[in-house]
Amino acid sequence: MTGPLASIRVLELARILAGPWCGQLLADLGADVVKVERAGAGDDTRQWGPPFVEGADGEPMAAAYFYGCNRGKRSIEADFETPEGQALVRKLALHADVVIENFKFGGLKKYGLDYESLKQVNPKLVYCSITGFGQTGPYAPRAGYDFLVQGMGGVMHMTGTPDGPPLKSAVAIADIFTGLYAANAVQAALIRRAETGEGAYIDCALLDSQVAVLGYQALNYFVSGKLGPRMGNGHPNLVPYDVFPVADGDIIIATGNDGQFRKLCDILGAPGLSSDARFLANKDRVQRRAELTGILHGLTRKFTRADLLPKLDAASVPAGPINSIEDVFADPQVIARGMRVDTSNPRARGGTTPGVRSAIVIDGQPAAAERPAPDLGEHTADVLNDKAWGG
């Protein structure tokens, strides 16, 4: 099936994660994404291992990290510091619909590859700049890193246990959210271009993205004027909504309304708990969080995971296990949805490389490019001879 962006050509001058994540999503949706990498070195994440993907010859290829965000792309090499490399990028930009770059603020201007320069070559270009802090403001010149931005953007202050240190997410959420916002902005700009003929300059920042996804947590502060404490796995607005112990481990119970709480109490053998004046409504339960949680812990410990979870599911009480990544990809729902994709790759041992598809399904077709992440410079000759790219 042809992807919805099959007519779109994307020139990716990006490395690490946020920019490549945007490019991979566009590739999954069918775009022809040409990744321009530093001659001789390539994207830094090619070396971010172990683990490394094993080649058919038994030798290591690029790191698993690189394969996680560069599916579906073609790779060419260029040295931006040379006139030849700059001329190559300008030639490709002439035929591109989109440019994605995540150099430091102003980093491409000295090479004549910034938006204003490439706009002279291709006025209809949609040019997406991804930086740590955006193109304006006092922090614009700073380099941005996901870990730092998680701290600066408020999420670490809220993450962790009340008596423990602040914690970052195990997933690079600032980078990934920025990649998602960038891909969304690119597609919006392409729609506008189809209507007006105008190109666009997109300014995406890691800090903006991290702040934007604070969502209801920010609203809680705006409305109350109070900073909530770190709550571990608890929810500031709902109780019970947490991790609960069972006889053989832990599970998640996430009630969202009073009816679900009543069903939970019935299943736990304490029907009177839901009619107790102390816990009657969610606002009461939030105020008496510690008291109720202690009571519930005593009740849930009487059940095994395999006994309690099916009962909660049958009663439509939101609950679930805490899965390892191994558990995730053995889960029947994840298998049924085809979230793991094994892409044909004759260069790799076994002839395939694994990946995780995007979370997009259109007309029953999951969005996942069939091309594996490329070897460094693998497609240089192909791209330079491709008529669509001016070859």
Side-chain angles (χ1 to χ4, degrees), residues 126-162:
V126 172
Y127 190 108
C128 179
S129 289
I130 297 175
T131 58
F133 301 99
Q135 302 297 312
T136 58
Y139 300 164
R142 295 188 187 179
Y145 299 92
D146 178 273
F147 190 7
L148 300 180
V149 168
Q150 286 196 42
M152 297 176 71
V155 68
M156 282 183 64
H157 184 267
M158 300 182 293
T159 305
T161 57

PDB file of all heavy atoms in Angstrom, residues 126-162:
ATOM      1  N   VAL A 126       9.535  23.598   3.008  1.00  0.00           N
ATOM      2  CA  VAL A 126       9.129  23.552   4.417  1.00  0.00           C
ATOM      3  C   VAL A 126      10.371  23.164   5.213  1.00  0.00           C
ATOM      4  O   VAL A 126      10.876  22.051   5.077  1.00  0.00           O
ATOM      5  CB  VAL A 126       7.990  22.540   4.640  1.00  0.00           C
ATOM      6  CG1 VAL A 126       7.706  22.364   6.126  1.00  0.00           C
ATOM      7  CG2 VAL A 126       6.733  22.982   3.904  1.00  0.00           C
ATOM      8  N   TYR A 127      10.866  24.090   5.996  1.00  0.00           N
ATOM      9  CA  TYR A 127      12.156  23.938   6.674  1.00  0.00           C
ATOM     10  C   TYR A 127      11.897  23.848   8.173  1.00  0.00           C
ATOM     11  O   TYR A 127      11.362  24.774   8.784  1.00  0.00           O
ATOM     12  CB  TYR A 127      13.030  25.143   6.351  1.00  0.00           C
ATOM     13  CG  TYR A 127      14.484  25.059   6.757  1.00  0.00           C
ATOM     14  CD1 TYR A 127      15.483  24.892   5.802  1.00  0.00           C
ATOM     15  CD2 TYR A 127      14.874  25.206   8.090  1.00  0.00           C
ATOM     16  CE1 TYR A 127      16.832  24.858   6.165  1.00  0.00           C
ATOM     17  CE2 TYR A 127      16.213  25.159   8.460  1.00  0.00           C
ATOM     18  CZ  TYR A 127      17.182  24.988   7.487  1.00  0.00           C
ATOM     19  OH  TYR A 127      18.520  24.957   7.840  1.00  0.00           O
ATOM     20  N   CYS A 128      12.260  22.719   8.767  1.00  0.00           N
ATOM     21  CA  CYS A 128      11.985  22.460  10.179  1.00  0.00           C
ATOM     22  C   CYS A 128      13.288  22.444  10.971  1.00  0.00           C
ATOM     23  O   CYS A 128      14.116  21.554  10.796  1.00  0.00           O
ATOM     24  CB  CYS A 128      11.250  21.129  10.337  1.00  0.00           C
ATOM     25  SG  CYS A 128      10.875  20.700  12.047  1.00  0.00           S
ATOM     26  N   SER A 129      13.454  23.434  11.831  1.00  0.00           N
ATOM     27  CA  SER A 129      14.619  23.501  12.726  1.00  0.00           C
ATOM     28  C   SER A 129      14.241  22.973  14.100  1.00  0.00           C
ATOM     29  O   SER A 129      13.250  23.423  14.692  1.00  0.00           O
ATOM     30  CB  SER A 129      15.109  24.945  12.863  1.00  0.00           C
ATOM     31  OG  SER A 129      15.719  25.406  11.685  1.00  0.00           O
ATOM     32  N   ILE A 130      15.036  22.045  14.605  1.00  0.00           N
ATOM     33  CA  ILE A 130      14.822  21.492  15.939  1.00  0.00           C
ATOM     34  C   ILE A 130      16.043  21.829  16.785  1.00  0.00           C
ATOM     35  O   ILE A 130      17.169  21.467  16.438  1.00  0.00           O
ATOM     36  CB  ILE A 130      14.612  19.972  15.886  1.00  0.00           C
ATOM     37  CG1 ILE A 130      13.337  19.640  15.092  1.00  0.00           C
ATOM     38  CG2 ILE A 130      14.538  19.386  17.287  1.00  0.00           C
ATOM     39  CD1 ILE A 130      13.110  18.161  14.874  1.00  0.00           C
ATOM     40  N   THR A 131      15.833  22.552  17.870  1.00  0.00           N
ATOM     41  CA  THR A 131      16.915  22.925  18.778  1.00  0.00           C
ATOM     42  C   THR A 131      16.482  22.655  20.210  1.00  0.00           C
ATOM     43  O   THR A 131      15.335  22.296  20.473  1.00  0.00           O
ATOM     44  CB  THR A 131      17.269  24.417  18.626  1.00  0.00           C
ATOM     45  OG1 THR A 131      16.092  25.191  18.886  1.00  0.00           O
ATOM     46  CG2 THR A 131      17.801  24.730  17.236  1.00  0.00           C
ATOM     47  N   GLY A 132      17.405  22.875  21.140  1.00  0.00           N
ATOM     48  CA  GLY A 132      17.058  22.683  22.535  1.00  0.00           C
ATOM     49  C   GLY A 132      16.075  23.706  23.052  1.00  0.00           C
ATOM     50  O   GLY A 132      15.158  23.387  23.795  1.00  0.00           O
ATOM     51  N   PHE A 133      16.258  24.983  22.615  1.00  0.00           N
ATOM     52  CA  PHE A 133      15.504  26.062  23.234  1.00  0.00           C
ATOM     53  C   PHE A 133      14.829  26.998  22.239  1.00  0.00           C
ATOM     54  O   PHE A 133      14.243  28.007  22.643  1.00  0.00           O
ATOM     55  CB  PHE A 133      16.425  26.857  24.167  1.00  0.00           C
ATOM     56  CG  PHE A 133      17.030  25.999  25.241  1.00  0.00           C
ATOM     57  CD1 PHE A 133      18.319  25.509  25.116  1.00  0.00           C
ATOM     58  CD2 PHE A 133      16.289  25.636  26.353  1.00  0.00           C
ATOM     59  CE1 PHE A 133      18.873  24.697  26.101  1.00  0.00           C
ATOM     60  CE2 PHE A 133      16.825  24.821  27.336  1.00  0.00           C
ATOM     61  CZ  PHE A 133      18.119  24.344  27.214  1.00  0.00           C
ATOM     62  N   GLY A 134      14.855  26.669  20.959  1.00  0.00           N
ATOM     63  CA  GLY A 134      14.161  27.488  19.985  1.00  0.00           C
ATOM     64  C   GLY A 134      15.029  28.596  19.418  1.00  0.00           C
ATOM     65  O   GLY A 134      16.194  28.769  19.777  1.00  0.00           O
ATOM     66  N   GLN A 135      14.440  29.377  18.530  1.00  0.00           N
ATOM     67  CA  GLN A 135      15.164  30.413  17.803  1.00  0.00           C
ATOM     68  C   GLN A 135      15.091  31.781  18.483  1.00  0.00           C
ATOM     69  O   GLN A 135      15.678  32.747  17.994  1.00  0.00           O
ATOM     70  CB  GLN A 135      14.596  30.522  16.384  1.00  0.00           C
ATOM     71  CG  GLN A 135      14.650  29.227  15.592  1.00  0.00           C
ATOM     72  CD  GLN A 135      16.064  28.738  15.347  1.00  0.00           C
ATOM     73  OE1 GLN A 135      16.935  29.528  14.922  1.00  0.00           O
ATOM     74  NE2 GLN A 135      16.324  27.469  15.592  1.00  0.00           N
ATOM     75  N   THR A 136      14.377  31.891  19.586  1.00  0.00           N
ATOM     76  CA  THR A 136      14.255  33.156  20.307  1.00  0.00           C
ATOM     77  C   THR A 136      14.462  32.899  21.792  1.00  0.00           C
ATOM     78  O   THR A 136      14.457  31.752  22.244  1.00  0.00           O
ATOM     79  CB  THR A 136      12.864  33.786  20.091  1.00  0.00           C
ATOM     80  OG1 THR A 136      11.851  32.859  20.533  1.00  0.00           O
ATOM     81  CG2 THR A 136      12.630  34.120  18.617  1.00  0.00           C
ATOM     82  N   GLY A 137      14.618  33.982  22.550  1.00  0.00           N
ATOM     83  CA  GLY A 137      14.752  33.864  23.992  1.00  0.00           C
ATOM     84  C   GLY A 137      16.199  33.783  24.434  1.00  0.00           C
ATOM     85  O   GLY A 137      17.108  33.503  23.637  1.00  0.00           O
ATOM     86  N   PRO A 138      16.448  34.009  25.730  1.00  0.00           N
ATOM     87  CA  PRO A 138      17.827  34.077  26.235  1.00  0.00           C
ATOM     88  C   PRO A 138      18.605  32.768  26.149  1.00  0.00           C
ATOM     89  O   PRO A 138      19.834  32.779  26.147  1.00  0.00           O
ATOM     90  CB  PRO A 138      17.639  34.507  27.699  1.00  0.00           C
ATOM     91  CG  PRO A 138      16.244  34.102  28.053  1.00  0.00           C
ATOM     92  CD  PRO A 138      15.452  34.267  26.786  1.00  0.00           C
ATOM     93  N   TYR A 139      17.904  31.624  26.078  1.00  0.00           N
ATOM     94  CA  TYR A 139      18.605  30.334  26.034  1.00  0.00           C
ATOM     95  C   TYR A 139      18.847  29.833  24.609  1.00  0.00           C
ATOM     96  O   TYR A 139      19.430  28.753  24.424  1.00  0.00           O
ATOM     97  CB  TYR A 139      17.819  29.255  26.784  1.00  0.00           C
ATOM     98  CG  TYR A 139      17.572  29.513  28.244  1.00  0.00           C
ATOM     99  CD1 TYR A 139      16.611  28.784  28.931  1.00  0.00           C
ATOM    100  CD2 TYR A 139      18.290  30.475  28.952  1.00  0.00           C
ATOM    101  CE1 TYR A 139      16.365  29.005  30.281  1.00  0.00           C
ATOM    102  CE2 TYR A 139      18.050  30.711  30.292  1.00  0.00           C
ATOM    103  CZ  TYR A 139      17.084  29.968  30.955  1.00  0.00           C
ATOM    104  OH  TYR A 139      16.839  30.187  32.281  1.00  0.00           O
ATOM    105  N   ALA A 140      18.399  30.585  23.610  1.00  0.00           N
ATOM    106  CA  ALA A 140      18.472  30.099  22.230  1.00  0.00           C
ATOM    107  C   ALA A 140      19.858  29.579  21.835  1.00  0.00           C
ATOM    108  O   ALA A 140      19.954  28.551  21.167  1.00  0.00           O
ATOM    109  CB  ALA A 140      18.003  31.193  21.264  1.00  0.00           C
ATOM    110  N   PRO A 141      20.954  30.225  22.236  1.00  0.00           N
ATOM    111  CA  PRO A 141      22.268  29.725  21.806  1.00  0.00           C
ATOM    112  C   PRO A 141      22.732  28.445  22.495  1.00  0.00           C
ATOM    113  O   PRO A 141      23.711  27.830  22.068  1.00  0.00           O
ATOM    114  CB  PRO A 141      23.215  30.892  22.157  1.00  0.00           C
ATOM    115  CG  PRO A 141      22.344  32.085  22.350  1.00  0.00           C
ATOM    116  CD  PRO A 141      21.059  31.538  22.892  1.00  0.00           C
ATOM    117  N   ARG A 142      22.053  28.057  23.564  1.00  0.00           N
ATOM    118  CA  ARG A 142      22.507  26.886  24.318  1.00  0.00           C
ATOM    119  C   ARG A 142      22.244  25.585  23.572  1.00  0.00           C
ATOM    120  O   ARG A 142      21.246  25.452  22.859  1.00  0.00           O
ATOM    121  CB  ARG A 142      21.797  26.799  25.668  1.00  0.00           C
ATOM    122  CG  ARG A 142      22.091  27.914  26.636  1.00  0.00           C
ATOM    123  CD  ARG A 142      21.451  27.562  27.979  1.00  0.00           C
ATOM    124  NE  ARG A 142      21.544  28.654  28.939  1.00  0.00           N
ATOM    125  CZ  ARG A 142      21.047  28.585  30.168  1.00  0.00           C
ATOM    126  NH1 ARG A 142      20.418  27.479  30.577  1.00  0.00           N
ATOM    127  NH2 ARG A 142      21.175  29.613  30.980  1.00  0.00           N
ATOM    128  N   ALA A 143      23.122  24.612  23.796  1.00  0.00           N
ATOM    129  CA  ALA A 143      22.852  23.257  23.317  1.00  0.00           C
ATOM    130  C   ALA A 143      21.812  22.616  24.236  1.00  0.00           C
ATOM    131  O   ALA A 143      21.804  22.861  25.446  1.00  0.00           O
ATOM    132  CB  ALA A 143      24.129  22.429  23.316  1.00  0.00           C
ATOM    133  N   GLY A 144      20.932  21.824  23.661  1.00  0.00           N
ATOM    134  CA  GLY A 144      19.884  21.197  24.452  1.00  0.00           C
ATOM    135  C   GLY A 144      20.007  19.685  24.457  1.00  0.00           C
ATOM    136  O   GLY A 144      20.280  19.075  23.424  1.00  0.00           O
ATOM    137  N   TYR A 145      19.818  19.076  25.611  1.00  0.00           N
ATOM    138  CA  TYR A 145      19.877  17.629  25.742  1.00  0.00           C
ATOM    139  C   TYR A 145      18.640  17.157  26.498  1.00  0.00           C
ATOM    140  O   TYR A 145      18.170  17.823  27.432  1.00  0.00           O
ATOM    141  CB  TYR A 145      21.147  17.203  26.481  1.00  0.00           C
ATOM    142  CG  TYR A 145      22.408  17.615  25.763  1.00  0.00           C
ATOM    143  CD1 TYR A 145      23.024  18.828  26.058  1.00  0.00           C
ATOM    144  CD2 TYR A 145      22.957  16.815  24.762  1.00  0.00           C
ATOM    145  CE1 TYR A 145      24.169  19.225  25.390  1.00  0.00           C
ATOM    146  CE2 TYR A 145      24.101  17.204  24.090  1.00  0.00           C
ATOM    147  CZ  TYR A 145      24.703  18.408  24.408  1.00  0.00           C
ATOM    148  OH  TYR A 145      25.827  18.795  23.735  1.00  0.00           O
ATOM    149  N   ASP A 146      18.129  16.017  26.111  1.00  0.00           N
ATOM    150  CA  ASP A 146      16.886  15.500  26.684  1.00  0.00           C
ATOM    151  C   ASP A 146      16.911  15.493  28.204  1.00  0.00           C
ATOM    152  O   ASP A 146      15.966  15.963  28.845  1.00  0.00           O
ATOM    153  CB  ASP A 146      16.635  14.088  26.150  1.00  0.00           C
ATOM    154  CG  ASP A 146      15.380  13.475  26.760  1.00  0.00           C
ATOM    155  OD1 ASP A 146      15.478  12.858  27.851  1.00  0.00           O
ATOM    156  OD2 ASP A 146      14.313  13.608  26.156  1.00  0.00           O
ATOM    157  N   PHE A 147      17.970  14.970  28.807  1.00  0.00           N
ATOM    158  CA  PHE A 147      18.059  14.850  30.259  1.00  0.00           C
ATOM    159  C   PHE A 147      17.941  16.232  30.915  1.00  0.00           C
ATOM    160  O   PHE A 147      17.165  16.436  31.861  1.00  0.00           O
ATOM    161  CB  PHE A 147      19.387  14.183  30.615  1.00  0.00           C
ATOM    162  CG  PHE A 147      19.547  13.779  32.052  1.00  0.00           C
ATOM    163  CD1 PHE A 147      18.510  13.871  32.966  1.00  0.00           C
ATOM    164  CD2 PHE A 147      20.763  13.282  32.503  1.00  0.00           C
ATOM    165  CE1 PHE A 147      18.675  13.497  34.300  1.00  0.00           C
ATOM    166  CE2 PHE A 147      20.941  12.898  33.827  1.00  0.00           C
ATOM    167  CZ  PHE A 147      19.896  13.015  34.718  1.00  0.00           C
ATOM    168  N   LEU A 148      18.704  17.195  30.405  1.00  0.00           N
ATOM    169  CA  LEU A 148      18.652  18.550  30.958  1.00  0.00           C
ATOM    170  C   LEU A 148      17.259  19.153  30.811  1.00  0.00           C
ATOM    171  O   LEU A 148      16.749  19.816  31.715  1.00  0.00           O
ATOM    172  CB  LEU A 148      19.676  19.442  30.258  1.00  0.00           C
ATOM    173  CG  LEU A 148      21.140  19.036  30.359  1.00  0.00           C
ATOM    174  CD1 LEU A 148      22.011  20.034  29.619  1.00  0.00           C
ATOM    175  CD2 LEU A 148      21.572  18.935  31.814  1.00  0.00           C
ATOM    176  N   VAL A 149      16.647  18.922  29.656  1.00  0.00           N
ATOM    177  CA  VAL A 149      15.339  19.517  29.389  1.00  0.00           C
ATOM    178  C   VAL A 149      14.257  18.875  30.256  1.00  0.00           C
ATOM    179  O   VAL A 149      13.321  19.553  30.698  1.00  0.00           O
ATOM    180  CB  VAL A 149      15.014  19.428  27.889  1.00  0.00           C
ATOM    181  CG1 VAL A 149      13.558  19.770  27.618  1.00  0.00           C
ATOM    182  CG2 VAL A 149      15.929  20.363  27.102  1.00  0.00           C
ATOM    183  N   GLN A 150      14.368  17.574  30.524  1.00  0.00           N
ATOM    184  CA  GLN A 150      13.413  16.968  31.456  1.00  0.00           C
ATOM    185  C   GLN A 150      13.481  17.654  32.813  1.00  0.00           C
ATOM    186  O   GLN A 150      12.466  17.860  33.485  1.00  0.00           O
ATOM    187  CB  GLN A 150      13.665  15.469  31.598  1.00  0.00           C
ATOM    188  CG  GLN A 150      13.236  14.645  30.405  1.00  0.00           C
ATOM    189  CD  GLN A 150      13.148  13.168  30.729  1.00  0.00           C
ATOM    190  OE1 GLN A 150      12.669  12.771  31.784  1.00  0.00           O
ATOM    191  NE2 GLN A 150      13.613  12.325  29.809  1.00  0.00           N
ATOM    192  N   GLY A 151      14.696  18.015  33.235  1.00  0.00           N
ATOM    193  CA  GLY A 151      14.850  18.734  34.488  1.00  0.00           C
ATOM    194  C   GLY A 151      14.321  20.150  34.404  1.00  0.00           C
ATOM    195  O   GLY A 151      13.557  20.600  35.266  1.00  0.00           O
ATOM    196  N   MET A 152      14.687  20.860  33.352  1.00  0.00           N
ATOM    197  CA  MET A 152      14.284  22.253  33.209  1.00  0.00           C
ATOM    198  C   MET A 152      12.792  22.397  32.925  1.00  0.00           C
ATOM    199  O   MET A 152      12.188  23.414  33.276  1.00  0.00           O
ATOM    200  CB  MET A 152      15.085  22.906  32.080  1.00  0.00           C
ATOM    201  CG  MET A 152      16.576  22.972  32.339  1.00  0.00           C
ATOM    202  SD  MET A 152      17.490  23.631  30.930  1.00  0.00           S
ATOM    203  CE  MET A 152      16.999  25.353  30.980  1.00  0.00           C
ATOM    204  N   GLY A 153      12.197  21.386  32.294  1.00  0.00           N
ATOM    205  CA  GLY A 153      10.808  21.467  31.867  1.00  0.00           C
ATOM    206  C   GLY A 153       9.795  21.010  32.893  1.00  0.00           C
ATOM    207  O   GLY A 153       8.601  20.923  32.584  1.00  0.00           O
ATOM    208  N   GLY A 154      10.224  20.687  34.114  1.00  0.00           N
ATOM    209  CA  GLY A 154       9.284  20.416  35.189  1.00  0.00           C
ATOM    210  C   GLY A 154       8.941  18.970  35.445  1.00  0.00           C
ATOM    211  O   GLY A 154       8.443  18.636  36.521  1.00  0.00           O
ATOM    212  N   VAL A 155       9.209  18.091  34.483  1.00  0.00           N
ATOM    213  CA  VAL A 155       8.735  16.717  34.655  1.00  0.00           C
ATOM    214  C   VAL A 155       9.518  15.980  35.736  1.00  0.00           C
ATOM    215  O   VAL A 155       8.953  15.185  36.494  1.00  0.00           O
ATOM    216  CB  VAL A 155       8.761  15.957  33.310  1.00  0.00           C
ATOM    217  CG1 VAL A 155      10.178  15.709  32.820  1.00  0.00           C
ATOM    218  CG2 VAL A 155       7.991  14.658  33.408  1.00  0.00           C
ATOM    219  N   MET A 156      10.829  16.240  35.847  1.00  0.00           N
ATOM    220  CA  MET A 156      11.612  15.535  36.864  1.00  0.00           C
ATOM    221  C   MET A 156      11.215  15.945  38.277  1.00  0.00           C
ATOM    222  O   MET A 156      11.282  15.136  39.208  1.00  0.00           O
ATOM    223  CB  MET A 156      13.107  15.761  36.642  1.00  0.00           C
ATOM    224  CG  MET A 156      13.696  14.919  35.539  1.00  0.00           C
ATOM    225  SD  MET A 156      15.480  15.165  35.359  1.00  0.00           S
ATOM    226  CE  MET A 156      16.079  14.562  36.938  1.00  0.00           C
ATOM    227  N   HIS A 157      10.814  17.190  38.446  1.00  0.00           N
ATOM    228  CA  HIS A 157      10.400  17.663  39.768  1.00  0.00           C
ATOM    229  C   HIS A 157       9.205  16.867  40.283  1.00  0.00           C
ATOM    230  O   HIS A 157       9.021  16.715  41.499  1.00  0.00           O
ATOM    231  CB  HIS A 157      10.048  19.144  39.693  1.00  0.00           C
ATOM    232  CG  HIS A 157       9.702  19.757  41.020  1.00  0.00           C
ATOM    233  ND1 HIS A 157       8.401  19.851  41.488  1.00  0.00           N
ATOM    234  CD2 HIS A 157      10.481  20.285  41.992  1.00  0.00           C
ATOM    235  CE1 HIS A 157       8.409  20.415  42.679  1.00  0.00           C
ATOM    236  NE2 HIS A 157       9.646  20.696  43.015  1.00  0.00           N
ATOM    237  N   MET A 158       8.404  16.341  39.372  1.00  0.00           N
ATOM    238  CA  MET A 158       7.196  15.601  39.752  1.00  0.00           C
ATOM    239  C   MET A 158       7.402  14.094  39.769  1.00  0.00           C
ATOM    240  O   MET A 158       6.527  13.368  40.220  1.00  0.00           O
ATOM    241  CB  MET A 158       6.063  15.913  38.765  1.00  0.00           C
ATOM    242  CG  MET A 158       5.679  17.365  38.687  1.00  0.00           C
ATOM    243  SD  MET A 158       4.305  17.626  37.539  1.00  0.00           S
ATOM    244  CE  MET A 158       5.092  17.224  35.977  1.00  0.00           C
ATOM    245  N   THR A 159       8.535  13.619  39.257  1.00  0.00           N
ATOM    246  CA  THR A 159       8.720  12.185  39.040  1.00  0.00           C
ATOM    247  C   THR A 159       9.636  11.595  40.105  1.00  0.00           C
ATOM    248  O   THR A 159      10.745  12.082  40.325  1.00  0.00           O
ATOM    249  CB  THR A 159       9.316  11.922  37.643  1.00  0.00           C
ATOM    250  OG1 THR A 159       8.483  12.533  36.663  1.00  0.00           O
ATOM    251  CG2 THR A 159       9.405  10.426  37.365  1.00  0.00           C
ATOM    252  N   GLY A 160       9.165  10.525  40.746  1.00  0.00           N
ATOM    253  CA  GLY A 160       9.917   9.884  41.807  1.00  0.00           C
ATOM    254  C   GLY A 160       9.042   9.736  43.043  1.00  0.00           C
ATOM    255  O   GLY A 160       7.888  10.175  43.068  1.00  0.00           O
ATOM    256  N   THR A 161       9.586   9.125  44.071  1.00  0.00           N
ATOM    257  CA  THR A 161       8.837   8.921  45.312  1.00  0.00           C
ATOM    258  C   THR A 161       8.982  10.147  46.204  1.00  0.00           C
ATOM    259  O   THR A 161       9.934  10.921  46.071  1.00  0.00           O
ATOM    260  CB  THR A 161       9.353   7.679  46.048  1.00  0.00           C
ATOM    261  OG1 THR A 161      10.759   7.834  46.306  1.00  0.00           O
ATOM    262  CG2 THR A 161       9.139   6.423  45.203  1.00  0.00           C
ATOM    263  N   PRO A 162       8.020  10.352  47.125  1.00  0.00           N
ATOM    264  CA  PRO A 162       8.060  11.548  47.976  1.00  0.00           C
ATOM    265  C   PRO A 162       9.363  11.719  48.739  1.00  0.00           C
ATOM    266  O   PRO A 162       9.817  12.839  48.949  1.00  0.00           O
ATOM    267  CB  PRO A 162       6.873  11.331  48.926  1.00  0.00           C
ATOM    268  CG  PRO A 162       5.938  10.455  48.169  1.00  0.00           C
ATOM    269  CD  PRO A 162       6.812   9.549  47.352  1.00  0.00           C
TER     270      PRO A 162
END
